[in-house]
Amino acid sequence: MSSTLRFLGAPMRGVVVPLSEVPDPVFGEGVMGPGIAIDPLGETLHAPCNGEVIQCARTAHAITLRDDGNHEWLLHIGLDTVDLGGEGFELLVSAGERVSAGDPLCRFDADRLAQRATALVSPIVLTNGAEIQLEALVTPGTVVEMGEALLRWQVAVEAASAGHDEPGREQTAHDEATITSASGLHARPAARLRAIAQTHAVELTLTRAGGSRVGEPSVGEASAASLSALLNLGLARGDRVRIMARGASAQAAVEAAVALLETPEAAGDGGQNEPLQARPGGQQRAPQAAAIESAPGVLTGLAASAGLVVGPLVRYTVALPHVPDKGENPERERQVLSQAVADADASLARAMEVARARGREDETEIFEAHRAWLDDPDLRAAAEAEIASGHSAGRAWFLALEREIQRLQTGDNPLLAARADDLRDLQRRVMQPLATEAATTVSGIDGAILTARELTPSQFVEVADRIAGLCLAAGGLTSHVSILARARGLPCLVALGEALLEADSDKACLDVRRDRHHGVLELAPDESRLAAVDAELAGQRRQASAERAAAFDPVSTRDGRCLHVAANIASSMEAREAAGAGADGVGLMRSEFLFLKRQAAPTLAEQQAEYRAAVEAMGGKPVVVRLLDIGADKQLPYLPLSATPNPALGERGVRLWQTHPDLFETQLDALLEAGRGLPLCEDGLPTLRLMVPMVADVGELRWVRERLVSRATELGIERLPALGAMIEVPTAALCAASLAREADFLSIGTNDLTQYALAMDREVASLALRNDVLHPGVLRLIALCLEGAAGQCPVAVCGAAAGDPLAGALLAAMGVDELSVEPGRIAAVKAALRRLHAGALASRLPSLLALEDGAAVRQALGDLPKAMLDADDDVPDDGTQGIDGVSSSVGEVKSGIGSATARDNATRDNTTTRD
Ligand code: PEP
Ligand code: MG
């Protein structure tokens, strides 16, 4: 005789209530049997397990189901609902029918029940097992999802023979499988094995077939209930494993487990060893970047933000919360721990819901694996043993997980070592609410070169003022952390690969050159190198101060092309910084930053004050505010968007506004009020300008203008702000002529334009190198855009390309009117433009457009005579120096140059009576 674990799922979504709290003595005092109750948040009762419907109440308010272990469950919707005589219920099954877990059994009208019944709380009672001890798997008071494991219990079983299932009888089944996932048995498939055991209500164990490998300690068999035990098996690709299940559906469970382990995709393996650390902030995980080959002691990454610094390497970690060492009384500490674990589980469940709603499968699975870990009986037992020896709940949890973390980190399996990060995350998550003092965030980072796999924008902001440089193992050049690093002029390399996380140095040198795509992290620079770096830094300081001194002067190139250099900002505070840096205006205020990191959208008054403050900071220079650009990589916690398989191609930017008019119109009102009574700028356009993101065609822009006119009329505002369109969608570049007729200005968002033109996600590190604005295809789109807009309205560039020395020079030569860059780059970009011979570089455009890819264009630009880009040598007036005459190859790109005069022709009648 042995025992087996059984599980029951939740038959509906709702708040879990202990049976003892059900206000009906028949249920509450356990007269009907042990059980639990749910206060429903839905209107359908589902089967909590596979089984047979054995009874349906005539009045449809209660159903009894016999599960495959012969346990009979009464599912009772609400209290005293028999009195409704069937009103408000719709039975979907009948007695004798076989059902599977999750099948709908009965629909009910919750509103009607709420009015007529004593309560909606619905008992779930085991009617033929008074002696059975049920264990609730969900903390009372928290929300359980339909189908989530709700109860478990143990039953004694007699040994049964292997083979096919026989409902109602205990079965065992076994089989062998070969691990096919490239990452071995990692946390996600382990979590799925556990789910298989729960769904089939079986006890599932895995044993390495043929014992341990030579030199490895035997870790015996592992129960699928314990993630850490499963991972301890250390199963790698090609290993054979024996799977054993015990329970009524043993055979089905074994088959499911074999299918899972033998199908890499089923095991959640993208063919890669994916890290499992959850990304706070909910951003999508990018695949890991492959490290670029470098010399020994030198790591190479992509140049996200230029600079040269020397400092110690410090790995980014958030300090653990302070918890008391000793506990008051073990019983209380156990309760405290249970509550903290349940809270952590509830917050992970919420995060999972959000991730799922946004179609982020990877992230959903990560949270699911973390939840499985929280429920790991081995970890819980270890923590409870610590409590028994006198430790507080927080300390006990710390110690239990710390042992596991150390074991993972010190083993020779890099896969398992990577899982230590996940456990560290869970360690912190549970300890947080038990902390006596707030955790000091990150320590020892002042003046350091910070290393991390990746950072969220909020983590970046927290550390940015203290560190000397930043190196990320993952990340892309146009990811928001890269943009933020450039904005602050903080040297930053991304996509260095996982080797970065092992790197250690007291004095490393981070060298990121502005005109190179790659930069290096030298782990052990010698004395002569350090001396050279010092000398170079002194020279840079002298040059920067000369550039700053000229930053307020107007800019024209050596051959007389006048350009504006504006600033990209995220707040009015940065507008002040931009004004102090000599910006000719704000070319892009990313208004969505105002909406992030909050529980609700900012009010009209808050927004108005922020926009007005930005305008005031710029002292009469133009300020372009981009209307809310939410969706894809920019998400708001209070605006869950419907799940879509490809968020970058889904509802985002202007497409979202028709479905969220409140959000959009409040912003319009705030901007109209902020711009009320402001004078016109020198170029004849209003000071405050609105820019529409993700425009695909002119109809969208017209729709926004109609809404703007209507809101302005309502508010009694006569002069409209200027209205422009971002060119981020390839069709917008191709249709620039029609857009320019409707728009007061255009601004090319090269970050998105490049990603959409090349179909390469800007957040994916492994594509970052090829996701290059200098790809001839992207340049052709830009050339066509300039040609379409020529003579109609000015064209700016506000994507990261504007601040890239090679791309910025080429864009200026192609004829854009403005480059909008991070405030920290303004002085340097102005200085570079003054050194540029635009005509000479423009004459090279046809030959550049004829090249094969971005790398070739970058190389060709880098090889151009310095006189064009960056020197004091004279260039002939006709700009013919070195022209190689390949212009016929781009016959369809007629000029590609020349909306420089557009600003003069672009005056619009910005009144509400505009026709
Ligand atoms: C762009 O796409 O180039 C742009 C400026 O917008 P964002 O980077 O905010 O998407
Ligand atoms: Mg964009």
Side-chain angles (χ1 to χ4, degrees):
M1 186 86 87
S2 64
S3 69
T4 187
L5 266 183
R6 298 209 166 270
F7 293 86
L8 190 83
M12 54 187 145
R13 178 168 195 266
V15 178
V16 174
V17 178
L19 201 58
S20 58
E21 287 176 20
V22 170
D24 179 321
V26 176
F27 292 114
E29 290 168 15
V31 180
M32 299 281 284
I36 196 161
I38 293 181
D39 212 347
L41 292 170
E43 296 196 325
T44 306
L45 178 78
H46 299 260
C49 54
N50 299 341
E52 184 187 336
V53 177
I54 54 171
Q55 203 242 340
C56 295
R58 189 184 39 80
T59 45
H61 69 287
I63 290 172
T64 309
L65 194 72
R66 183 188 293 128
D67 70 19
D68 291 343
N70 270 333
H71 296 110
E72 294 176 8
W73 295 94
L74 169 67
L75 312 169
H76 196 281
I77 305 170
L79 299 180
D80 294 331
T81 36
V82 64
D83 299 341
L84 300 184
E87 222 186 287
F89 293 98
E90 186 195 351
L91 259 185
L92 305 170
V93 289
S94 47
E97 224 172 280
R98 182 139 183 96
V99 291
S100 301
D103 285 352
L105 303 178
C106 178
R107 246 180 245 125
F108 54 94
D109 179 341
D111 285 349
R112 193 175 316 190
L113 265 60
Q115 284 159 18
R116 308 250 333 256
T118 308
L120 262 176
V121 65
S122 303
I124 299 150
V125 178
L126 176 58
T127 55
N128 65 344
E131 73 293 351
I132 289 178
Q133 295 274 328
L134 297 175
E135 186 193 344
L137 297 173
V138 182
T139 314
T142 60
V143 173
V144 66
E145 296 299 325
M146 195 287 288
E148 202 177 313
L150 178 65
L151 292 172
R152 85 177 155 197
W153 66 100
Q154 281 206 313
V155 287
V157 291
E158 283 174 27
S161 59
H164 50 270
D165 293 358
E166 259 180 57
R169 285 205 45 208
E170 195 62 22
Q171 302 286 325
T172 60
H174 54 80
D175 203 346
E176 288 200 359
T178 302
I179 307 286
T180 49
S181 159
S183 312
L185 182 62
H186 56 97
R188 278 192 287 169
R192 288 189 182 179
L193 279 174
R194 177 176 170 278
I196 288 173
Q198 290 184 348
T199 313
H200 291 83
V202 297
E203 204 178 320
L204 192 69
T205 48
L206 263 71
T207 322
R208 183 196 287 282
S212 302
R213 279 175 292 192
V214 179
E216 282 188 2
S218 168
V219 285
E221 69 174 28
S223 159
S226 167
L227 243 66
S228 49
L230 284 174
L231 295 183
N232 282 346
L233 289 174
L235 292 167
R237 175 150 62 178
D239 284 346
R240 292 283 292 165
V241 64
R242 187 174 162 79
I243 304 152
M244 159 89 100
R246 195 188 298 277
S249 305
Q251 188 59 35
V254 166
E255 282 166 15
V258 170
L260 173 82
L261 296 175
E262 297 211 324
T263 320
E265 313 82 65
D269 181 15
Q272 299 289 320
N273 161 20
E274 282 198 46
L276 251 176
Q277 198 170 12
R279 294 177 55 155
Q283 293 176 34
Q284 220 159 349
R285 173 170 296 285
Q288 289 175 42
I292 298 155
E293 288 281 316
S294 317
V298 177
L299 297 175
T300 304
L302 296 179
S305 175
L308 178 65
V309 284
V310 172
L313 286 192
V314 175
R315 175 88 194 268
Y316 179 84
T317 49
V318 181
L320 284 171
H322 298 282
V323 290
D325 185 34
K326 297 288 171 219
E328 288 168 19
N329 109 36
E331 190 42 45
R332 205 188 106 59
E333 297 301 328
R334 256 192 293 279
Q335 282 168 10
V336 168
L337 180 62
S338 281
Q339 189 58 49
V341 169
D343 291 347
D345 186 59
S347 79
L348 284 167
R350 279 192 298 276
M352 237 174 102
E353 241 172 68
V354 173
R356 184 172 289 130
R358 292 177 184 163
R360 296 175 177 166
E361 273 317 308
D362 277 3
E363 214 170 286
T364 309
E365 287 174 5
I366 288 166
F367 291 131
E368 193 175 8
H370 280 202
R371 292 185 74 194
W373 233 316
L374 272 184
D375 194 34
D376 189 322
D378 291 355
L379 287 180
R380 283 294 279 277
E384 291 194 0
E386 295 294 346
I387 288 178
S389 72
H391 286 121
S392 72
R395 181 76 182 156
W397 183 252
F398 165 80
L399 292 170
L401 269 78
E402 195 60 25
R403 265 196 302 276
E404 193 64 16
I405 289 168
Q406 295 308 329
R407 202 186 51 69
L408 291 175
Q409 280 176 340
T410 50
D412 56 3
N413 185 335
L415 247 179
L416 294 186
R419 296 295 77 78
D421 284 349
D422 295 275
L423 277 187
R424 186 69 76 201
D425 206 42
L426 279 181
Q427 197 181 33
R428 181 174 299 115
R429 201 181 268 273
V430 172
M431 287 168 72
Q432 197 71 52
L434 309 177
T436 45
E437 287 170 39
T440 44
T441 46
V442 225
S443 54
I445 60 166
D446 297 281
I449 298 170
L450 197 67
T451 67
R453 177 172 285 119
E454 52 198 335
L455 283 190
T456 64
S458 51
Q459 287 169 332
F460 174 84
V461 170
E462 201 183 337
V463 297
D465 286 339
R466 295 169 54 194
I467 57 179
L470 176 65
C471 290
L472 299 181
L477 292 177
T478 55
S479 72
H480 281 109
V481 167
S482 296
I483 290 173
L484 292 173
R486 279 194 292 277
R488 289 173 185 251
L490 182 82
C492 174
L493 276 184
V494 297
L496 281 137
E498 295 292 295
L500 174 71
L501 305 178
E502 306 299 318
D504 192 16
S505 169
D506 290 341
K507 213 173 208 183
C509 174
L510 175 59
D511 187 354
V512 192
R513 303 288 155 150
R514 210 171 289 295
D515 56 351
R516 304 223 186 105
H517 223 43
H518 291 108
V520 290
L521 177 67
E522 299 159 46
L523 299 177
D526 61 20
E527 286 307 319
S528 66
R529 170 69 175 138
L530 290 172
V533 168
D534 273 349
E536 190 172 341
L537 287 174
Q540 282 181 9
R541 279 192 292 274
R542 280 193 299 278
Q543 182 178 345
S545 90
E547 289 175 354
R548 270 197 306 276
F552 291 84
D553 300 339
V555 171
S556 59
T557 61
R558 282 164 62 204
D559 52 335
R561 282 262 292 106
C562 293
L563 282 103
H564 276 171
V565 179
N568 287 355
I569 61 167
S571 65
S572 60
M573 208 173 78
E574 284 185 16
R576 285 189 278 280
E577 201 186 316
D584 298 325
V586 167
L588 167 65
M589 179 170 182
R590 287 184 164 97
S591 70
E592 53 283 348
F593 277 85
L594 254 174
F595 290 70
L596 297 174
K597 286 185 81 182
R598 318 171 51 111
Q599 296 310 313
T603 61
L604 189 153
E606 280 175 283
Q607 290 189 53
Q608 181 184 337
E610 182 68 0
Y611 304 140
R612 186 75 186 204
V615 169
E616 278 164 9
M618 292 310 296
K621 291 178 178 160
V623 173
V624 176
V625 178
R626 183 197 30 216
L627 295 171
L628 202 48
D629 183 17
I630 292 301
D633 58 324
K634 306 182 195 100
Q635 300 281 345
L636 299 180
Y638 48 88
L639 183 75
L641 302 179
S642 49
T644 168
N646 197 336
L649 302 179
E651 274 196 307
R652 57 169 303 191
V654 63
R655 301 171 202 163
L656 204 67
W657 300 345
Q658 304 202 352
T659 48
H660 295 79
D662 290 354
L663 209 59
F664 166 57
E665 297 204 347
T666 306
Q667 187 178 35
L668 283 189
D669 288 359
L671 283 160
L672 282 163
E673 290 295 355
R676 197 190 273 271
L678 290 175
L680 296 180
C681 288
E682 278 170 15
D683 60 3
L685 292 178
T687 310
L688 187 61
R689 304 169 185 193
L690 276 50
M691 184 154 77
V692 185
M694 296 306 299
V695 172
D697 53 53
V698 70
E700 289 167 330
L701 192 62
R702 274 199 203 110
W703 179 80
V704 176
R705 195 181 285 283
E706 273 162 27
R707 296 310 311 142
L708 191 63
V709 171
S710 149
R711 294 310 309 152
T713 309
E714 180 107 343
L715 297 173
I717 290 174
E718 283 197 359
R719 184 189 291 143
L720 288 181
L723 185 66
M726 285 192 81
I727 305 293
E728 297 173 287
V729 179
T731 51
L734 297 172
C735 299
S738 61
L739 276 167
R741 273 195 292 280
E742 178 67 34
D744 297 312
F745 62 93
L746 300 180
S747 184
I748 306 176
T750 47
N751 305 337
D752 277 315
L753 184 64
T754 309
Q755 102 162 325
Y756 290 119
L758 289 168
M760 291 185 191
D761 191 327
R762 60 193 267 190
E763 299 281 332
V764 172
S766 53
L767 297 176
L769 199 51
R770 290 162 60 210
N771 198 358
D772 192 344
V773 65
L774 290 179
H775 189 288
V778 182
L779 292 176
R780 280 166 188 256
L781 283 170
I782 294 173
L784 286 171
C785 171
L786 288 165
E787 187 183 317
Q792 300 198 74
C793 75
V795 181
V797 175
C798 63
D804 170 327
L806 294 181
L810 187 60
L811 290 165
M814 287 169 78
V816 306
D817 300 284
E818 176 179 290
L819 295 177
S820 191
V821 302
E822 290 82 7
R825 292 277 298 130
I826 285 170
V829 169
K830 283 191 169 184
L833 286 173
R834 291 190 186 107
R835 294 192 295 261
L836 172 73
H837 195 294
L841 180 54
S843 69
R844 296 299 184 116
L845 185 63
S847 59
L848 294 172
L849 292 181
L851 294 172
E852 286 184 356
D853 57 22
V857 175
R858 210 163 265 285
Q859 166 91 41
L861 276 174
D863 289 347
L864 281 176
K866 270 193 127 302
M868 287 183 191
L869 294 174
D870 186 351
D872 298 327
D873 316 354
D874 275 342
V875 172
D877 281 347
D878 62 0
T880 54
Q881 186 186 54
I883 292 176
D884 48 15
V886 196
S887 57
S888 59
S889 63
V890 284
E892 74 281 16
V893 181
K894 283 186 239 123
S895 70
I897 303 165
S899 73
T901 56
R903 202 184 297 130
D904 310 329
N905 305 328
T907 312
R908 283 279 191 276
D909 173 13
N910 282 282
T911 65
T912 48
T913 54
R914 180 179 195 278
D915 52 31

